[in-house]
Amino acid sequence: MADSKVGYIHSIESFGTVDGPGIRYVVFFQGCPFRCLYCHNPDTWKFSGGTEMSVDAVLEGYERNREFYKNGGLTATGGEPLMQLDFLTELFRKARERGIHTCLDTSGASYAESKREVYAFLLRFVDLVLMDFKHSQREGHIRLTGAPPDGPWAFARQVEAAKVPMIVRHVLVPGITDIPEQLRDLGVLMAGYGNVVGLDVLPYHTMGVSKYRELGLAYPLEGVPSLTPQEAKWARGVILSAFREERKRLRGSGHETGST
Ligand code: SF4
């Protein structure tokens, strides 16, 4: 049968090791509605770019190196994969048919309750979500990404309802997200989702700066230094301690959550 779904793909990494478990075939979707101040992929923002590819063409690349992915699978990232919902769903549906582990790396941008059924259908074919919670406080989220957090938080709620495991990702940025109150609020936010199975705290780095120059864009965090893995470890401790406290409190009040 002809493959009717076409996607706009920024690039594909054949041997990804940081976007989900094992060695992965990582598909970077073109287009993102957020404008995170620390974004190191500004070349994925525009919706007009990217290479037009069919689902089968994307999966052909996977099949070529299939043996390498036996402990890994396929990850959709970006850009924002949810912005190409039909294509993403078809890609994951066909991947699932072939026994491929599917992982969705998303910030939840674009989520709308009106499309609840469409997202529910997608989630039937998702094995793992890497949920990039940008900021745990409303104003901070708007300042950091240009958009409020309601959509992403509602999307995470739907992931929970679909019983898809979720690893929370969080980029630690000096003066923006490394503030203890923000970190504690993130722990509390995470504790409210019963499907959280892990937490990755990623230290801010400046590797994307040259891309801004190439695109003729001003770099919003000029002069902000990179953070170290030790600082990320400290932040992880603050988040997890608030997470455990909140889980305890929720259990004490009879609120049902999963185990982490
Ligand atoms: S969501 Fe990701 S791709 Fe989009 S602006 Fe933020 S960091 Fe960049």
Side-chain angles (χ1 to χ4, degrees), residues 25-219:
Y25 185 72
V26 183
V27 183
F28 291 82
F29 283 53
Q30 183 71 37
C32 182
F34 279 3
R35 291 293 177 268
C36 302
L37 297 177
Y38 59 73
C39 182
H40 56 264
N41 289 323
D43 44 334
T44 65
W45 288 350
K46 268 171 56 180
F47 287 97
S48 53
T51 305
E52 209 176 291
M53 289 182 83
S54 68
V55 164
D56 288 344
V58 173
L59 289 176
E60 256 167 46
Y62 184 97
E63 296 295 353
R64 267 199 297 277
N65 295 306
R66 192 178 180 100
E67 79 245 47
F68 291 110
Y69 307 125
K70 54 181 184 287
N71 297 319
L74 181 151
T75 296
T77 184
E80 175 49 66
L82 289 180
M83 296 303 292
Q84 299 185 51
L85 205 45
D86 289 351
F87 178 79
L88 174 66
T89 303
E90 188 61 3
L91 178 64
F92 276 14
R93 190 186 70 73
K94 284 200 167 175
R96 178 65 75 73
E97 256 175 27
R98 297 176 187 208
I100 298 171
H101 180 273
T102 57
C103 173
L104 170 63
D105 179 17
T106 179
S107 61
S110 91
Y111 180 77
E113 286 291 330
S114 56
K115 286 201 199 158
R116 200 177 166 76
E117 294 308 314
V118 187
Y119 286 96
F121 187 64
L122 161 71
L123 288 167
R124 283 170 50 182
F125 311 110
V126 182
D127 291 313
L128 175 68
V129 169
L130 304 179
M131 185 71 216
D132 190 354
F133 280 134
K134 302 288 183 186
H135 201 290
S136 60
Q137 297 162 340
R138 192 179 175 78
E139 288 313 311
H141 197 281
I142 294 171
R143 233 178 302 127
L144 180 60
T145 69
D150 311 69
W153 294 352
F155 176 71
R157 191 61 71 206
Q158 199 173 345
V159 176
E160 179 194 38
K163 296 190 167 41
V164 178
M166 186 162 85
I167 294 177
V168 170
R169 301 189 121 187
H170 189 59
V171 179
L172 193 68
V173 189
I176 300 177
T177 56
D178 67 344
I179 296 153
E181 201 191 338
Q182 192 285 134
L183 298 170
R184 281 194 292 271
D185 285 354
L186 180 61
V188 171
L189 177 72
M190 279 170 55
Y193 295 99
N195 57 333
V196 171
V197 295
L199 168 67
D200 285 341
V201 180
L202 312 166
Y204 165 74
H205 62 74
T206 54
M207 285 189 292
V209 177
S210 59
K211 289 191 188 171
Y212 283 77
R213 286 200 196 105
E214 282 160 26
L215 294 167
L217 298 169
Y219 186 61

